[in-house]
Amino acid sequence: MLIFQLAIILLASKIAGDISVRLGQPSVLGKLLIGIVLGPSVLGLVTSTEILKEISQIGVILLMFIAGLETDTEEFKRTGKGSAYVGVLGIIVPFALGFLTGSTLGLSQLESIFLGLLLSATSVSISVQALKEMGKLKSREGTTILGAAVIDDILVIVALAFVMSFAGGDVNLGMVILKKFVFFAVAILLGWKVVPWVLKKFAPLRVTEAVISAALIICFVYAYFAEYTGVA
């Protein structure tokens, strides 16, 4: 069943992506729409299973990994201020609209705040895919959007933890912030001191694609560490 579902997903996403590009839109838009059509909401040809979730998670990790390889860190530094402005405004505007919508629909104040925060979250992977297809990932605008999306995600996660702690959820705000600080501190330190050493040790190995294999191992270790510490 899984093999058949994968075949359907690949065939439908390629066709839908091609149609989307022919209509002047990024292919990711067509892929999203065909996913809704094939999923349980419409046709139900593809059902969400645990193994399918894991495979899709690997796909997202590799997409973000490729985006990281193509990101100019110097440009990333130069757009830091702009990314911060865009990221903060990207939270304030949807949060305000979501809160007003919730209040209009008769939700409680806490529920309206929760709705606003949910609408403030972004999808970095979709942003990356769209920018890649438009050839803008390495541009100043693309770097600003990517930086803003990362800032947006971090702030929204912390804000959600803060709101859930007030709602009586089993959330320790201090621990959430501490985990994120630990992740970025350790990730930067490893990237600075350990990763180059590991790649140098793998390079002489008499196996196929030794450096690429080492890079993928590091990628998955980082992804696991991020998931463990509550970072997207």
Side-chain angles (χ1 to χ4, degrees), residues 103-142:
S103 300
T104 303
L105 294 174
L107 300 179
S108 68
Q109 188 176 45
L110 190 61
E111 290 171 337
S112 298
I113 292 174
F114 189 72
L115 176 62
L117 286 174
L118 288 179
L119 294 175
S120 301
T122 59
S123 175
V124 182
S125 57
I126 293 177
S127 301
V128 166
Q129 183 65 29
L131 289 169
K132 277 176 62 66
E133 291 182 19
M134 296 167 64
K136 297 291 186 179
L137 186 60
K138 297 181 182 180
S139 68
R140 183 178 180 85
E141 294 81 4

Side-chain angles (χ1 to χ4, degrees), residues 35-49:
I36 295 172
V37 173
L38 293 178
S41 301
V42 183
L43 298 178
L45 294 178
V46 177
T47 56
S48 180
T49 61

Side-chain angles (χ1 to χ4, degrees), residues 142-201:
T143 307
T144 301
I145 293 172
L146 185 58
V150 173
I151 293 170
D152 189 308
D153 275 359
I154 294 171
L155 292 178
V156 168
I157 290 172
V158 173
L160 276 172
F162 183 74
V163 171
M164 289 177 68
S165 65
F166 272 98
D170 187 19
V171 177
N172 187 323
L173 180 61
M175 186 58 67
V176 170
I177 296 174
L178 177 61
K179 282 184 176 181
K180 282 167 177 47
F181 175 79
V182 169
F183 169 77
F184 284 105
V186 173
I188 292 171
L189 181 63
L190 290 178
W192 179 28
K193 294 293 186 180
V194 179
V195 170
W197 179 83
V198 171
L199 292 176
K200 287 179 182 178
K201 290 298 182 181

